[in-house]
Amino acid sequence: AGELVALNQSDGSLAWRTRTSSEVLAPPQVSGDIVVAHTIDGKIAAYNALDGERMWIHSASTPSLTLRGTSTPIVTSDFIIAGFANGRFSLLTRDQGNVIAGERIATASGESDLERLIDIDGTMIVANSRLFVVSFHGRLASVDLANGRLVWARDASSIAGLGEGFGNIYIAHADGMLGAIDAANGRDVWEIDALKHRDITAPVGTGSFIAVGDFEGYLHLVAQSDGRFVGRRKVDGDGLLSPVVVDGNRLFVLGNSGRLSVFEIQ
């Protein structure tokens, strides 16, 4: 509906409500006194966390055809990281939304509009002062946040995005392949095809494992070390679309039916 809503944690009462420029399909991010939302029309906007007043808005060019979704912005103490449907990411200042640095990690190619989709929609990762970002029909890139320059890049295609752990970056490929890539140099560590064409969610690290869901509603646990399966559980007959949320040794899984389940790793 194009609204940003804040509720009081104590009783769920409305704290404030404000309009956004269009639909918000990725979770708004909060850091101190700032709330950052990414709307489907290619805009990043910052709001005052106390009253919802808009502080600034940044617009990026949007192709005529895009995937339905946006990446979730990352808010750090120094800047805001945003990925866009034009295959470009930007580092923005917290106070005014000015561009500090940015890079195009994908270039549209192909004859049809479908072949030219290069959206950055999946989960981005910040680890060891580096940004890891992947696009659809594009590349997986490692970026040094100190200067905004590419450290390495390789061909890849993902909608769900990335996870990290054990010095690896884990990628949910667009075709359902799940892979581990050395974060330092971009080389393959392992790859499994058992989840191919199962529309897996973004991989999330938990202890020695990573967790992913799929379109049939299964939650899978895979060893970070070598990609072997260590557990599987049917969670929701309507499927899993939202990434798993990890808190300690507990996994919170929201199914497409609206059912929230909690699992504990023992």
Side-chain angles (χ1 to χ4, degrees), residues 14 20 30 38 59 79-81 96 106 118-119 132 145 160 168 196 207 214 256:
L14 178 68
T20 59
V30 183
H38 190 171
S59 299
F79 42 71
I80 295 161
I81 305 169
Q96 295 183 329
I118 52 172
D119 301 50
F132 298 89
L145 289 176
N168 297 328
K196 196 169 184 180
D214 69 23
N256 292 348

Side-chain angles (χ1 to χ4, degrees), residues 201-226:
T201 61
V204 178
T206 171
S208 299
F209 314 112
I210 54 175
V212 297
D214 69 23
F215 81 104
E216 287 193 337
Y218 283 93
L219 175 66
H220 306 270
L221 275 186
V222 177
Q224 293 196 40
S225 57
D226 55 11

Side-chain angles (χ1 to χ4, degrees), residues 113-196:
D113 286 342
L114 289 176
E115 292 174 324
R116 297 174 64 82
L117 291 172
I118 52 172
D119 301 50
I120 299 175
D121 274 3
T123 302
M124 300 180 289
I125 295 292
V126 171
N128 299 321
S129 300
R130 287 191 188 178
L131 168 68
F132 298 89
V133 56
V134 64
S135 74
F136 186 62
H137 290 162
R139 295 188 297 173
L140 166 62
S142 171
V143 181
D144 188 339
L145 289 176
N147 52 33
R149 295 177 180 173
L150 286 177
V151 178
W152 55 258
R154 53 177 288 173
D155 291 342
S157 179
S158 177
I159 299 173
L162 309 170
E164 63 93 16
F166 280 33
N168 297 328
I169 293 299
Y170 303 104
I171 178 171
H173 291 281
D175 61 3
M177 298 279 284
L178 180 63
I181 296 167
D182 191 312
N185 53 38
R187 296 173 182 168
D188 288 320
V189 178
W190 53 257
E191 190 172 66
I192 56 176
D193 61 5
L195 300 176
K196 196 169 184 180

